[in-house]
């Protein structure tokens, strides 16, 4: 079991989290498909990297401008729970992916220029049901771009434009040479 405690300057708890892990000796479980190698074997210690979200969900750039972008993703109904909707964590992952792509870095393994997420706030409006609408739009817009801090608004929408989740994220640039 692991426990993390985040506290403020006055030592008051801001957040507390726990996780449980189990270590099972033996070979790793087999997977139905072979992971895609997105880096050299020597750079990853011979361990294959998992496919990116782009590869898993067929994410494509639909429209890109200097301060906004629209990505399209194809979601499979197999992602759904027994109620026919996907877990809210997938909303977070897709929105974070769209925001990072707009801020300027993919956030992939080993990307030294990847922006650091400082804050992410989501508002869930409707459930995502791939059986009803498997194509979703990830729309992101830069609200403010400072020297080191960038604030981005994003939405996860159905292909008809119905907003499922809206979000605001704040990123810290990892590079010192920004104008």
């Amino acid at each position: 079991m692991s426990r993390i405690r985040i506290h403020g300057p006055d030592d008051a708890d801001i957040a507390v989290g726990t996780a449980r892990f189990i270590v099972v000796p033996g070979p790793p479980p087999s997977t139905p498909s072979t992971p895609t190698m997105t880096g050299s074997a020597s750079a990853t210690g011979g361990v294959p990297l998992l496919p990116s979200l782009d590869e898993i969900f067929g994410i494509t750039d639909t429209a890109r401008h200097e301060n906004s972008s629209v990505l399209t993703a194809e979601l499979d109904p197999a992602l759904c729970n027994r109620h026919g909707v996907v877990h809210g964590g997938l909303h977070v992952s897709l929105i974070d992916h769209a925001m990072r792509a707009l801020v300027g870095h993919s956030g992939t393994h080993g990307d030294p220029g990847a922006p650091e997420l400082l804050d992410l706030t989501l508002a869930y409006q409707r459930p995502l049901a791939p059986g009803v609408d498997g194509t979703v739009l990830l729309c992101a817009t830069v609200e403010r771009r400072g020297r080191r801090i960038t604030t981005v608004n994003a939405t996860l929408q159905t292909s008809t434009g119905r907003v499922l989740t809206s979000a605001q994220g704040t990123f810290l640039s990892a590079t010192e040479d920004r104008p």
Side-chain angles (χ1 to χ4, degrees):
M1 177 179 267
S2 178
R3 182 175 172 95
I4 184 169
R5 179 176 165 254
I6 301 172
H7 56 89
D10 61 351
D11 206 37
D13 284 346
I14 294 173
V16 176
T18 59
R20 294 178 186 196
F21 302 94
I22 185 167
V23 177
V24 180
S30 62
T31 55
S33 63
T34 305
T36 304
M37 291 293 287
T38 57
S40 70
S42 62
T44 63
V47 177
L49 297 177
L50 296 175
S52 69
L53 285 180
D54 290 339
E55 295 167 330
I56 294 171
F57 299 117
I59 296 175
T60 58
D61 254 339
T62 303
R64 183 171 296 272
H65 306 284
E66 183 178 342
N67 288 318
S68 66
S69 69
V70 177
L71 305 176
T72 304
E74 299 295 328
L75 303 182
D76 190 303
L79 296 168
C80 295
N81 62 18
R82 60 187 169 99
H83 302 291
V85 299
V86 299
H87 189 276
L90 183 59
H91 294 236
V92 175
S93 296
L94 291 170
I95 284 175
D96 178 66
H97 183 77
M99 288 179 166
R100 286 179 187 277
L102 179 61
V103 171
H105 299 281
S106 64
T108 57
H109 302 281
D111 181 358
E116 187 176 331
L117 180 63
L118 298 176
D119 180 64
L120 181 62
T121 304
L122 274 83
Y124 297 94
Q125 279 95 26
R126 292 176 184 82
L128 173 54
V132 175
D133 191 7
T135 301
V136 294
L137 304 175
L138 306 163
C139 306
T141 305
V142 172
E143 180 181 309
R144 181 181 178 282
R145 189 183 304 262
R147 253 189 15 194
R148 300 276 323 270
I149 303 290
T150 302
T151 304
V152 181
N153 291 324
T155 58
L156 174 64
Q157 303 177 10
T158 65
S159 60
T160 60
R162 189 171 189 177
V163 175
L164 304 172
T165 305
S166 58
Q168 183 176 47
T170 306
F171 293 87
L172 174 67
S173 172
T175 59
E176 298 290 333
D177 60 346
R178 289 210 41 193

